[in-house]
Amino acid sequence: MSGNESGARDIPKVISVDDHVIEPAHLFATWLPAKYRDRGPQPFTAGIGELAYVGGKYRFTTDPEGQVTDWWRYEDEIFPYKRIIAAVGFSRDEMTLDGITREQMRRGCWDPKARLADMDMNHVEASLCFPTFPRFCGQTFAEAKDKEVGLACVRAYNDWMVEEWCGDSGGRLIPLCLIPLWDVDLAVAEIRRNAARGVRAVTFSEIPTYLGLPSIHSGYWDPFFAACEETGTVVNMHIGSSSQMPAASPDAPPAVQASLSFNNAMASMMDFLFSGVLVKFPRLKLAYSEGQMGWIPYALERADDVWEEHRAWGGVKDLVPEPPSTYYYRQIFCCFFRDKHGIEAIETVGVDNATFETDYPHVDSTWPHTKQVATDHVGHLPEDVAYKLLRGNAIRMLGLPFDQDRTAAATA
């Protein structure tokens, strides 16, 4: 029974601000300049062997007797595709760390035309996709020894993202680009190169110091933030983009990390709220991806209380002139897909700050039931609020060419 048949109000189509793409095997052979191809990422297929979790990262070996898997080889590292990152179409009990080939995946994982068809099935109009092999903010290339090739790989990925993945989608696939994390001047150049062709989203680490990079407090990233502000480029920070997920104990099962994944987003947001970055760059927009939002009301309450009671000794008296929540409501976006507690507190979370995601094709994805999940969350809310949460805020955040009359009226 449809929403209209049941008497419930129909909901608008979703714009998902957090999905993922599995890179096609031809990506670097096609888009990397010829002189780098023999030193760039190489696709191969082999059996997968033992799994170990070392230093916050999964480590795999190949095994001729193991599950046939598609891999990338880059410098001294090998990277397998696992079923949990291409989980759509599998039952919950089949969503494991087993290896998988592209042919075993649902085609929408890596084929843009098939992705659009899966979006049509899922009540989704447009989608912003994070990388997989490069990792969430390009850590794979930042960790490479040969930075000349690494830079060429970043640019090749971005060219593929803009021209091939998004190119024929009519704007429904929204480009999300990488930067060379190891050099802020190169990062600024890449922001400007992509902005010139209409890109308005870049992925960045939630906690750069975990990657051995300067902190946002150091001033090192100010040219990057300035370029993003100037070009209207949204800084998107996905959980895990610090290559470190929180866990209570080193031997805890992965379910603990999955349950605590919002912690990195919360820590990152506090970092920004007390950094002065949002004061210095008042038009800079930050987006927290897959962090959910039920935790935000207390985090803002605590931040404002610390600012009020402790700012003299806390080092922010002159750095942050207004309560931290001021900058959150002005410049930060969160996103959700299953978070009824956050919906109950949506006025405090911010009806203008929350966006929606489907997480296709990961294990958490709401595909193909997104319309049902979204209706269950926002179907009882005022129509204008539901519109903002499911698409309006994403349109405004990313400057998308959808619903232009309605968006202009809402911001007038």
Side-chain angles (χ1 to χ4, degrees):
M1 181 179 294
S2 72
N4 287 336
E5 290 170 345
S6 67
R9 187 186 75 236
D10 208 2
I11 62 169
K13 280 197 170 182
V14 165
I15 294 179
S16 175
V17 299
D18 173 33
D19 294 317
H20 301 266
V21 60
I22 303 297
E23 296 79 17
H26 69 261
L27 192 160
F28 295 101
T30 300
W31 293 96
L32 198 61
K35 66 178 180 177
Y36 298 120
R37 286 178 192 162
D38 61 339
R39 291 180 286 160
Q42 306 294 326
F44 70 100
T45 302
I48 194 167
E50 295 182 357
L51 160 68
Y53 190 69
V54 180
K57 299 178 184 177
Y58 289 106
R59 302 291 187 184
F60 294 86
T61 61
T62 59
D63 181 350
E65 304 299 319
Q67 171 74 38
V68 177
T69 301
D70 279 342
W71 304 68
W72 289 99
R73 177 180 288 110
Y74 181 47
E75 293 194 338
D76 299 327
E77 300 290 335
I78 54 175
F79 178 97
Y81 286 124
K82 304 176 288 294
R83 192 175 290 184
I84 61 168
I85 61 175
V88 291
F90 292 97
S91 71
R92 288 293 168 191
D93 290 336
E94 294 174 314
M95 295 178 183
T96 65
L97 289 169
D98 291 342
I100 192 172
T101 65
R102 292 179 185 83
E103 289 305 309
Q104 293 168 332
M105 300 173 190
R106 189 168 181 86
R107 191 176 180 91
C109 293
W110 50 269
D111 180 282
K113 291 183 179 178
R115 174 63 67 92
L116 291 173
D118 278 357
M119 289 161 58
D120 288 336
M121 292 174 57
N122 199 34
H123 201 64
V124 174
E125 182 164 11
S127 168
L128 182 80
C129 291
F130 283 82
T132 302
F133 160 65
R135 313 219 300 278
F136 290 144
C137 66
Q139 301 101 302
T140 295
F141 304 129
E143 293 170 0
K145 298 180 182 69
D146 190 328
K147 290 300 191 288
E148 181 182 356
V149 177
L151 177 60
C153 288
V154 167
R155 291 173 172 166
Y157 178 90
N158 290 341
D159 291 343
W160 165 81
M161 165 62 63
V162 174
E163 303 296 335
E164 183 176 326
W165 179 252
C166 301
D168 294 330
S169 70
R172 296 184 62 194
L173 294 173
I174 306 161
L176 174 65
C177 288
L178 305 174
I179 56 168
L181 289 163
W182 59 91
D183 187 309
V184 72
D185 293 329
L186 292 174
V188 167
E190 193 62 12
I191 288 293
R192 297 192 184 284
R193 184 177 82 95
N194 292 314
R197 50 182 172 175
V199 176
R200 293 295 179 266
V202 66
T203 179
F204 186 64
S205 177
E206 59 200 353
I207 307 175
T209 54
Y210 285 179
L211 303 180
L213 299 169
S215 83
I216 63 166
H217 303 275
S218 67
Y220 174 83
W221 296 104
D222 283 3
F224 166 69
F225 295 137
C228 290
E229 180 182 57
E230 179 187 336
T231 59
T233 300
V234 181
V235 178
N236 296 263
M237 294 173 284
H238 196 283
I239 57 167
S241 57
S242 58
S243 296
Q244 185 170 318
M245 296 294 279
S249 306
D251 54 350
V256 173
Q257 294 178 343
S259 300
L260 292 174
S261 59
F262 72 91
N263 275 8
N264 279 358
M266 181 167 61
S268 176
M269 191 178 84
M270 287 296 189
D271 228 17
F272 271 99
L273 290 178
F274 285 110
S275 68
V277 168
L278 301 179
V279 179
K280 190 181 299 184
F281 304 104
R283 297 183 308 280
L284 179 68
K285 291 183 284 188
L286 309 180
Y288 284 99
S289 307
E290 206 172 327
Q292 307 297 343
M293 62 186 187
W295 52 271
I296 288 176
Y298 175 71
L300 294 178
E301 179 183 347
R302 180 59 181 163
D304 283 356
D305 189 57
V306 167
W307 179 86
E308 183 66 36
E309 304 294 339
H310 307 287
R311 62 180 180 269
W313 71 267
V316 294
K317 181 170 64 74
D318 299 318
L319 188 64
V320 182
E322 298 180 77
S325 62
T326 305
Y327 308 103
Y328 166 81
Y329 289 118
R330 188 176 75 187
Q331 294 174 251
I332 296 179
F333 294 84
C334 59
C335 74
F336 73 100
F337 52 96
R338 293 188 189 92
D339 191 340
K340 291 186 177 180
H341 184 69
I343 288 293
E344 290 174 0
I346 195 61
E347 292 294 330
T348 308
V349 169
V351 295
D352 294 314
N353 300 81
T355 59
F356 197 79
E357 62 164 295
T358 78
D359 200 30
Y360 182 109
H362 282 189
V363 66
D364 252 334
S365 180
T366 55
W367 187 92
H369 307 296
T370 293
K371 185 175 184 180
Q372 176 184 336
V373 172
T375 300
D376 194 33
H377 278 68
V378 308
H380 64 287
L381 297 176
E383 184 176 358
D384 63 324
V385 174
Y387 169 83
K388 287 181 176 183
L389 300 183
L390 296 184
R391 62 186 286 120
N393 290 339
I395 290 170
R396 181 169 52 86
M397 179 179 84
L398 293 163
L400 301 177
F402 299 107
D403 306 351
Q404 290 179 331
D405 291 343
R406 183 166 185 172
T407 303
T411 57

